[in-house]
Amino acid sequence: MPHDVADDPHWHEPGSDTYAGTAVWPRRATAYDDFMLAQDIPIYRNISVKRVQELPLKPWARMGGRGSFIQLFGTEGAWGSYVVEIPGAGALNEERHLYEEIYLVLDGRGTTEIWNDGQDRPEIFEWQKGSLFSIPMNAHHRLVNSSSSPALLLAGTSAPNMMNLIRNEEAIFNSPVSLRNRYHAGHNAFEARDGLEDDEARGLAMCRTNIIPDVFTNELYLDNRRMPGYRRVEPKMAENVFYQYIGEFPAGRYSRGYSPGPAAAFICIGGKGYSYTWPLELGPTPWADGNGGEVLRQEYDSVGMISAAPMGGSWLHQHFATGNEPLRLLAWFGPNNHRAQAAGVPGEAVADEGVIEIDKPGGTAIPYWMEDPHVRAEFAGSVAREGTENRMEERFYDRNTTYSFAGG
């Protein structure tokens, strides 16, 4: 029934020339928001985290360690993240969950026990600082600290996707289903693997492994899609849909601007630098057009996180390596957010707008000759202050050059 209570949203049948309800309302909490709040640990919401290892932590009863949630702007509902500390010579609680989970070890060393129902003994693998590994969906697991000092891990998950869909924590954390395509005991799923596997769709470097021992130093392969000398590899872990890759920018160079798409975040795992992020609608020359104040500059620090699509709409992003070492980034997009996973008519052509130049249909990549003059000048000043050699070659800016690094 319609009612009248001051400041209480309610329904009234509209008059002949008005609409029902209100045009603005407070956003409602999602099931994942409610879950985070119930854990009684900090929830960090911002466009970036300068250093993940410096976030405040509180005891986390469900996990058995100390933790903090991270919810970067632009990732809400698209994927989740948290940091958790395992006490020295201790362990996290055993758990299983109906969502994907990836861990990056920020500090410490230890082991993970993993098993399915009916398994005689758990499979055990070791990890250390720099290890990247995935927990197969709904497999039992327990993380154990092997040293007397606390271990710190950063996690990326598809928990928001599943919780907001199912809206039942009992089903999320106590489902008996065994997903053998995700984890099958006895198949040495957590032995580190070398070599590449074909990416049949895009022809990019991909490796299929559930653990990378050290993402700070693992081999990457020449890609050139972002800039001359750019290197990359895409780990495919535990049959996850959670999309990620590792990219590296040569010292003293910077990438072309491009749109990474929605829900993109970058984690600095090596080197030094900064990024620019600005709305796509401002075009390739925001400073020259008087809109430089709307460009976000964010510094890369180890281990920091940056949202590359911080609010609604489309965004452009650009990476700058100012130190004497290459800038290495771990990119997390969550499940089904990257353009490589976009749904559509099977077999139709899909264009990588981040490679196609912005003056061509469907493209967002800004060639160096088209970029705002401020970009080059600011980078030159930044590397000079760092005492780094500027390795941007003059030919990169020549519109008529025959040197092509953009593709195929």
Side-chain angles (χ1 to χ4, degrees), residues 34-53:
D34 291 339
F35 168 76
M36 288 194 293
L37 189 62
Q39 303 308 299
D40 194 29
I41 62 173
I43 304 173
Y44 181 86
R45 298 181 187 270
N46 210 319
I47 189 175
S48 63
V49 185
K50 183 173 177 57
R51 285 172 57 84
V52 171
Q53 53 271 49

Side-chain angles (χ1 to χ4, degrees), residues 56-383:
L57 307 175
K58 282 185 61 178
W60 191 352
R62 191 183 69 82
M63 293 289 284
R66 297 197 306 152
S68 176
F69 285 109
I70 301 169
Q71 193 67 83
L72 295 183
F73 296 159
T75 67
E76 299 92 342
W79 57 277
S81 184
Y82 66 84
V83 61
V84 64
E85 180 189 80
I86 310 175
L92 297 183
N93 296 332
E94 179 258 314
E95 64 170 350
R96 72 190 305 188
H97 42 68
L98 206 60
Y99 55 80
E100 299 173 351
E101 188 167 51
I102 297 169
Y103 279 114
L104 170 63
V105 182
L106 306 182
D107 200 13
R109 57 186 174 85
T111 60
T112 295
E113 302 166 353
I114 186 165
W115 70 97
N116 278 332
D117 288 333
Q119 197 170 318
D120 291 338
R121 59 177 61 88
E123 186 171 357
I124 300 174
F125 63 90
E126 297 181 345
W127 43 261
Q128 61 185 1
K129 182 177 180 178
S131 294
L132 183 74
F133 62 90
S134 181
I135 303 297
M137 184 184 287
N138 218 38
H140 294 276
H141 57 279
R142 189 172 79 114
L143 276 63
V144 181
N145 188 347
S146 299
S147 73
S148 58
S149 300
L152 192 67
L153 292 86
L154 172 68
T157 80
S158 59
N161 314 76
M162 298 299 290
M163 289 186 179
N164 292 342
L165 176 65
I166 297 176
R167 303 179 66 83
N168 185 306
E169 290 187 24
E170 178 68 20
I172 294 289
F173 292 107
N174 292 299
S175 171
V177 65
S178 179
L179 302 173
R180 292 173 65 86
N181 64 315
R182 301 278 186 140
Y183 173 64
H184 191 181
H187 284 219
N188 301 319
F190 288 91
E191 288 185 0
R193 300 180 185 178
D194 296 323
L196 296 177
E197 182 171 318
D198 289 340
D199 170 9
E200 297 178 356
R202 296 169 295 158
L204 302 182
M206 187 183 80
C207 64
R208 188 175 296 273
T209 179
N210 287 350
I211 182 168
I212 296 176
D214 187 356
V215 294
F216 301 146
T217 61
N218 71 293
E219 185 177 6
L220 305 180
Y221 303 90
L222 190 63
D223 181 272
N224 284 341
R225 290 165 76 87
R226 294 283 167 258
M227 64 192 300
Y230 175 68
R231 308 184 77 85
R232 179 187 186 277
V233 73
E234 183 177 315
K236 183 68 175 175
M237 293 183 156
E239 298 300 326
N240 287 340
V241 182
F242 192 107
Y243 187 88
Q244 64 175 340
Y245 64 83
I246 305 165
E248 185 176 271
F249 304 85
R253 287 184 177 176
Y254 64 87
S255 76
R256 304 185 300 168
Y258 70 104
S259 176
F266 295 96
I267 303 163
C268 180
I269 55 176
K272 188 174 184 179
Y274 62 94
S275 73
Y276 285 142
T277 306
W278 71 99
L280 177 62
E281 63 191 33
L282 297 184
T285 54
W287 288 272
D289 297 335
N291 297 313
E294 296 187 48
V295 179
L296 304 173
R297 173 171 169 153
Q298 302 173 86
E299 304 297 324
Y300 281 119
D301 201 350
S302 185
V303 173
M305 297 178 71
I306 287 175
S307 172
M311 274 73 80
S314 298
W315 292 75
L316 291 166
H317 194 74
Q318 197 164 6
H319 309 278
F320 301 81
T322 59
N324 289 305
E325 301 295 330
L327 175 65
R328 180 172 286 214
L329 304 176
L330 172 63
W332 280 353
F333 286 71
N336 298 318
N337 297 312
H338 191 271
R339 60 178 59 93
Q341 301 172 322
V345 179
E348 68 180 351
V350 180
D352 187 343
E353 64 180 69
V355 171
I356 300 171
E357 294 177 346
I358 199 168
D359 59 337
K360 297 180 174 60
T364 63
I366 303 172
Y368 293 121
W369 65 264
M370 189 185 290
E371 72 182 13
D372 198 301
H374 173 89
V375 173
R376 185 177 183 182
E378 178 63 21
F379 179 74
S382 296
V383 294

